[in-house]
Amino acid sequence: MYPFLKQLHSGWAYLALLLLLFAVINAVIGLTSKKEFTAKDRKISLFALIGTHTQLLIGLILYFVSPLGKDSFGQMSNAALRLTSLEHPLINLIAIVLITIGWSKHKKLINSEAKHKTFAIYYGLGLILILSRIPWNLWF
Ligand code: HEM
């Protein structure tokens, strides 16, 4: 169970991050070029939402089976264990909450510029937070 989940979380991370990066770039281009918000833009943002939510779900299960997750919680003096047992899960959870808020907010907006702006801000902040707490040494 553990090796499979670890591999899945490791592999899905590429897809989730690529989808999120693509959605942020798309929103910034849409905003700066004053493009109309179309069904294509909605789909790009939805795929990023689904990709990150799936990663969250895998991460949550992994947290309880990995020796670097719950079992290492509280080891504050060890930076690597503090990262995987506290900082990475907590910051990623906050990032995905922001992404979800961005998605919900855009639905209430009518104006294309406001929709692009909402995605650029909320998805952009989410991406920055996620990138700030990746256990890079484990990943590569
Ligand atoms: C979009 C959000 C997330 C991304 C992109 C992400 C990405 C990653 C990556 C790249 C690794 C290193 C994988 C490797 O060993 O090759 C990792 C490890 C880990 N992640 Fe996440 N993660 C996310 C969310 C979460 C969440 C929400 C949790 C827990 C609630 C979590 C728990 C863990 C744990 C426990 C490890 C260490 C696994 C081990 O090596 O035993 N992750 N994550």
Side-chain angles (χ1 to χ4, degrees):
M1 176 91 157
Y2 170 53
F4 169 72
L5 280 173
K6 188 170 132 79
Q7 270 305 108
L8 186 64
H9 191 68
S10 179
W12 194 270
Y14 288 99
L15 187 65
L17 284 175
L18 275 177
L19 288 171
L20 185 57
L21 180 68
F22 189 54
V24 172
I25 293 172
N26 184 63
V28 171
I29 292 174
L31 181 65
T32 52
S33 320
K34 299 195 189 306
K35 283 187 183 164
E36 192 195 332
F37 188 89
T38 63
K40 191 186 107 235
D41 299 307
R42 186 186 169 275
K43 229 176 246 169
I44 291 171
S45 312
L46 180 61
F47 281 138
L49 180 82
I50 295 169
T52 48
H53 274 234
T54 307
Q55 181 70 351
L56 170 75
L57 207 68
I58 304 164
L60 276 173
I61 306 168
L62 179 64
Y63 188 74
F64 292 95
V65 297
S66 165
L68 308 179
K70 179 186 71 68
D71 289 350
S72 300
F73 184 77
Q75 306 219 27
M76 293 298 139
S77 53
N78 183 322
L81 292 180
R82 195 175 64 230
L83 178 65
T84 54
S85 69
L86 177 67
E87 294 168 358
H88 172 75
L90 183 66
I91 297 295
N92 280 329
L93 199 69
I94 296 169
I96 294 165
V97 166
L98 284 175
I99 289 166
T100 312
I101 293 174
W103 174 260
S104 309
K105 267 185 170 291
H106 107 277
K107 289 197 272 185
K108 295 175 200 119
L109 300 166
I110 312 154
N111 182 282
S112 282
E113 191 185 343
K115 280 180 190 271
H116 284 307
K117 196 174 176 181
T118 300
F119 281 121
I121 293 172
Y122 285 88
Y123 278 36
L125 278 175
L127 179 63
I128 291 168
L129 285 182
I130 292 171
L131 291 178
S132 78
R133 287 298 179 278
I134 294 272
W136 297 104
N137 57 328
L138 287 180
W139 205 17
F140 292 111

